[in-house]
Amino acid sequence: MPSYSMGQAARLLGVSSETVRRWADGGRLAVARDGAGRRVVEGAALAAFARERGAGPHAVPEDDVPTSVRNSFVGIVTGVRTDDVAAQVEVQSGPHRLVTLVTREAVEELGLDVGVTVTARVKSTDVHVDPA
């Protein structure tokens, strides 16, 4: 399970690092300490918090990969449901909730799980999800 620094959490939530620190200090956002003593937010906790807030980043990442897909949403995976063949992936990006159906194999290959940062790309009726 990934964990995020306070700055990374702030970027994903679309707020300042200081805001994330205040939320952590006030008990609104659960944090832990990494091996170096720095405060980190576990991916699942950040995904739950993002879902509750319904807020997050709105910009395309700076190191975006070249693609013809023009609508990109950086977000955090807030839900993954799989069966034998298919999977449903839910992403919270700012106030936008995106849900896509992909193969179970794709979810496994991309390492998609609750709390993972992704870029959802929307083209016409297709949504492409890339690990960030």
Side-chain angles (χ1 to χ4, degrees):
M1 178 61 64
S3 61
Y4 298 93
S5 69
M6 301 300 265
Q8 290 170 322
R11 185 176 60 83
L12 288 167
L13 295 170
V15 297
S16 71
S17 295
E18 184 56 36
T19 297
V20 173
R21 285 184 191 90
R22 281 195 309 270
W23 288 337
D25 292 344
R28 290 185 58 201
L29 180 60
V31 296
R33 298 273 180 183
D34 66 8
R38 294 176 296 230
R39 294 195 294 180
V40 294
V41 183
E42 296 299 324
L46 185 58
F49 189 79
R51 180 181 283 188
E52 289 172 15
R53 272 193 87 244
H58 303 281
V60 175
E62 295 173 14
D63 58 344
D64 201 20
V65 294
T67 178
S68 65
V69 181
R70 295 175 191 246
N71 301 306
S72 298
F73 300 86
V74 177
I76 189 165
V77 176
T78 56
V80 177
R81 291 191 198 108
T82 60
D83 64 20
D84 291 340
V85 177
Q88 176 181 314
V89 179
E90 182 177 326
V91 176
Q92 188 73 38
S93 176
H96 310 289
R97 177 178 167 263
L98 298 103
V99 179
T100 185
L101 299 177
V102 297
T103 64
R104 178 187 52 78
E105 182 179 13
V107 166
E108 292 169 358
E109 286 179 8
L110 294 171
L112 300 179
D113 199 3
V114 172
V116 173
T117 305
V118 297
T119 301
R121 302 179 195 285
V122 180
K123 182 172 186 175
S124 186
T125 59
D126 296 321
V127 176
H128 302 257
V129 178
D130 300 322

